[in-house]
Amino acid sequence: MFPYPSGALHMGHLRVYTIADVLARFHRMQRDSAGNAYRVVFPIGFDSFGLPAENAAIDRKVDPRAWTEQNIAAMSAQLRSMDTSFDWDREVWTSDPSYYKWTQYIFLKLYEHGLVYRKSSTVNWDPIDQTVLANEQVDAEGRAERSGAVVEKRKLEQWFFKITQYQDELLSGLESLNWPARIKQLQGNWIGKEEGYQVAFKLSGVPSEDITVFFANPDYAASAEYVAISWDHPLIESSAISAEFRETVKTVVAEIQRTQSFAQRALLGAYTGLTCVGPFSARKLPVFVSGGVPEMEGNAVLGASTVDAKDSAFGEKHNIPQLKDKTNSPNLDPYKTTKVSFSAFSIFSDNCSNVSGVWCGSSDAKRDTDTMDTFVDSSWYWLRHLDAQNSDRICDPKVSELLPVSTYIGGIEHAILHLLYARFIGKFLFKSGIVPQSGSSAWDGEPFKRLLAQGMVTGRTAKCPATGRYLKPDEVDWTDLNAPIMKASGKHAILSQEKMSKSKYNGVDPSEMIEKYGSDCTRLYVLYKAAPADELLWDEHGIIGMQRWLGRCRKLAQTVFANRADVAVKSDGTNANATRAVLDSTIRDVTLAMTKTYAFHVAIAALMKLTNHLEKVPEAEYAHSVYMESMRSLTQMLSPFAPAVSNELWSALSVAKKQHVSESAWPVVAVTDAAREFSTCTLMVNGKVRGTITVPAQLMVSEDALRAAAVQSDIGKRWLVDRTTGGLLQFDKVLVLKMGRVINFLIKK
């Protein structure tokens, strides 16, 4: 939980913090086998350094620090209005000297270990914000994501992190993380390890000049027709390219820089007038600058039309002669190098923290005007939360007992930069001994064990069909939500669901929703409307349904309170048995959603189903023990989602009047007779039903235990075992469906 203090929360904030708060409240109510409550760390902080804050302050003619602190105060008040249960005593701000002095400390330690260096590099330059941008901060039209300025390419000397030193660890570490496959793939592709060969080609007519060429497929060595270099290759600025070709090359380089489409950029190129000779033959290969070669200074590859269709397309466009006869591939040196999609991350000018010449103690030290990007500031906040008040060291080494973070919740937009920075810094802190393993901790340098990615929130958006301009709310008649009318012309506007944005006039202020409907109803709606990973289509009318349901829960609790008895009545009647069955099913469904599936909409639906059942039970049975247990359990399971209303219900139902519902233990399935001790699970193989197995009910919430029980059952021994070897068949996948009521083994064919 580390927002940038822009001054106001949006619906995306409300969604992610509600999801996090629900999980934190649930885990506080869990108990271990000895009956002890879990220790839950649920901190909050603010990523408060950055040029946006400085620019906003300049626009308003106020001090950046005052502006930032004012925004933090406003956002903190909003967070509290959402009924979040953050550990405010663990709060950190990246702009606070007590925090950023340790960011400087980390930088200096990286420098000591040879993981920081300076070099000249081509960068994305924002001429409005006067700062360097990462590629991810430039949109598809070549504009800066924040300022909207057309991004320029400049050569600057700057600081870099040598993340390549940790490349293998960062790649292999992904395998152990419980992250969505898509995000692991995105990060793996960004790290971009590729095994191949690096060979020196000598430039013809240019003494002592070589081009180091990379290729992964040995066939390139025999079939190469040309050498392609990236637009930022040192040769582009060297005197090796004669005046005859220089202007054409510069023009094409500029066009490559402007072109955002990779498919279009890949065909852009120009002959440099240079040729080179490799060690495999005496054949001279022409050297071309190509937009298809990844931007990495010194990057050069071989092109062969017989090996790659993209090479063939480039060759055809630029009239490069193709080889008629393919020669045999030479015997290559088995030594392989690694090509990566980045050499390091630069430390961009993006905040006001000084990083060098501060701690050395030399009177000759000079202040370094380069500063670190906010991604560096936010790369280690998860560690500082554990020891936020420590002024003597970055943290007490013992805090690693609490690492790694069990659950990280955030959008897919953090998949690359933020999460990769955090992983790199985490592995460095661990490997360097700054934050060693402590006690029985599973800490190995990976900061986030599980990643729960939430989808974006979209709102109804109206555009003018003639101009495509986004329409302001007061320009549209929304009487019919599905057919908005432009007030000025009386014509229909174009209706769409798009990500909430100020520029699209489709945003919804969470504070207004909370003021109008209350925090509980608003929280319930954002959780019930869509699964966390799915896009949430905002529709205010949906909150009313949550309002009605909570009203029914209140009415039910009041009626139960009015019918209460001093001593609960024991009951073994039909209604009690039916109530027990519904209660047990609800506990299983909600617990599974909280621990495994994170399908909060399913959990809320299960609570509604339990409410419906309890409303149908005659009032004469309200004082019966099973009914009272069900009402209390309903209140307990509702409390992570709707804490305020749940406390009201608990005060009416609980014997311990001074106890908050959040202090009670999470309900568990009661084991009272054989019928409820066991559940039936349908066993399928490749989608075909092969029979049913009976398993202890508590196994229904454990996929591993359910799988083991299925394999050991008589049906499992018949259908899941190789009759020849007696060993288990190889499974492509095992699917546990319908809350454990179905298990489907997909067997390799």
Side-chain angles (χ1 to χ4, degrees), residues 409-428:
I409 305 166
I412 197 170
E413 66 272 15
H414 300 306
I416 297 175
L417 285 182
H418 167 55
L419 290 175
L420 187 54
Y421 264 94
R423 293 185 64 222
F424 168 63
I425 294 299
K427 287 184 176 295
F428 168 72

Side-chain angles (χ1 to χ4, degrees), residues 273-321:
L274 300 172
T275 59
C276 61
V277 179
F280 313 125
S281 74
R283 186 161 30 91
K284 290 185 177 181
L285 302 180
V287 179
F288 281 75
V289 59
S290 170
V293 181
E295 300 171 14
M296 185 168 65
E297 290 188 23
N299 206 10
V301 300
L302 293 177
S305 60
T306 59
V307 178
D308 194 311
K310 293 191 292 291
D311 295 348
S312 179
F314 184 87
E316 287 180 11
K317 179 170 182 181
H318 298 282
N319 300 314
I320 301 174

Side-chain angles (χ1 to χ4, degrees), residues 530-684:
D534 295 341
E535 183 179 290
L536 193 160
L537 308 179
W538 182 261
D539 180 5
E540 184 179 335
H541 292 76
I543 304 181
I544 298 172
M546 299 297 107
Q547 215 174 25
R548 290 171 179 162
W549 174 42
L550 290 184
R552 288 164 51 207
C553 291
R554 276 197 183 98
K555 182 178 179 181
L556 194 56
Q558 291 166 358
T559 307
V560 171
F561 180 75
N563 286 274
R564 73 191 186 283
D566 293 332
V567 180
V569 179
K570 298 292 182 182
S571 172
D572 296 314
T574 304
N575 286 321
N577 287 337
T579 299
R580 170 66 70 186
V582 175
L583 173 61
D584 287 354
S585 175
T586 304
I587 293 173
R588 280 194 292 268
D589 290 352
V590 177
T591 303
L592 184 64
M594 295 294 211
T595 56
K596 295 285 185 181
T597 67
Y598 305 109
F600 302 119
H601 57 307
V602 174
I604 294 170
L607 294 174
M608 290 178 173
K609 181 180 177 181
L610 177 58
T611 306
N612 294 340
H613 173 82
L614 294 175
E615 286 177 322
K616 295 175 183 177
V617 174
E619 289 188 16
E621 295 189 24
Y622 281 11
H624 291 178
S625 58
V626 173
Y627 191 91
M628 289 298 295
E629 180 188 347
S630 298
M631 279 298 302
R632 291 192 182 106
S633 295
L634 169 64
T635 304
Q636 290 169 310
M637 290 185 284
L638 177 63
S639 66
F641 304 101
V645 168
S646 297
N647 267 323
E648 291 179 34
L649 305 183
W650 191 249
S651 65
L653 298 169
S654 178
V655 175
K657 295 295 182 182
K658 294 183 179 180
Q659 183 193 52
H660 284 278
V661 63
S662 60
E663 298 171 326
S664 65
W666 187 258
V668 295
V669 174
V671 180
T672 55
D673 57 48
R676 290 192 299 274
E677 278 188 49
F678 295 90
S679 296
T680 299
C681 174
T682 299
L683 191 152
M684 304 175 74

Side-chain angles (χ1 to χ4, degrees), residues 462-475:
K463 287 194 292 187
C464 174
T467 64
R469 180 177 66 86
Y470 288 103
L471 300 172
K472 298 177 181 179
D474 59 4
E475 295 180 293

Side-chain angles (χ1 to χ4, degrees), residues 312-457:
S312 179
F314 184 87
E316 287 180 11
K317 179 170 182 181
H318 298 282
N319 300 314
I320 301 174
Q322 296 185 358
L323 279 181
K324 300 298 182 181
D325 299 309
K326 177 181 174 182
T327 60
N328 293 326
S329 297
N331 292 321
L332 293 169
D333 189 328
Y335 174 75
K336 291 187 177 183
T337 62
T338 298
K339 173 193 173 189
V340 294
S341 58
F342 62 88
S343 60
F345 276 124
S346 60
I347 299 177
F348 317 119
S349 289
D350 201 17
N351 67 42
C352 54
S353 64
N354 177 39
V355 296
S356 298
V358 181
W359 297 44
C360 65
S362 171
S363 59
D364 297 327
K366 296 181 179 179
R367 180 176 292 273
D368 192 322
T369 57
D370 279 358
T371 55
M372 287 182 279
D373 183 73
T374 54
F375 285 115
V376 182
D377 299 324
S378 61
S379 67
W380 70 282
Y381 71 96
W382 45 272
L383 177 65
R384 188 62 179 175
H385 278 317
L386 301 179
D387 202 5
Q389 310 306 320
N390 196 330
S391 59
D392 298 324
R393 55 205 309 183
I394 190 169
C395 68
D396 189 313
K398 292 182 180 179
V399 302
S400 68
E401 293 178 358
L402 298 172
L403 294 172
V405 177
S406 61
T407 307
Y408 173 99
I409 305 166
I412 197 170
E413 66 272 15
H414 300 306
I416 297 175
L417 285 182
H418 167 55
L419 290 175
L420 187 54
Y421 264 94
R423 293 185 64 222
F424 168 63
I425 294 299
K427 287 184 176 295
F428 168 72
L429 293 173
F430 174 75
K431 196 171 182 179
S432 63
I434 296 173
V435 186
Q437 192 176 60
S438 178
S440 59
S441 168
W443 164 245
D444 62 356
E446 285 289 354
F448 310 121
K449 181 179 180 181
R450 178 190 291 111
L451 173 58
L452 179 58
Q454 100 282 354
M456 62 183 178
V457 181

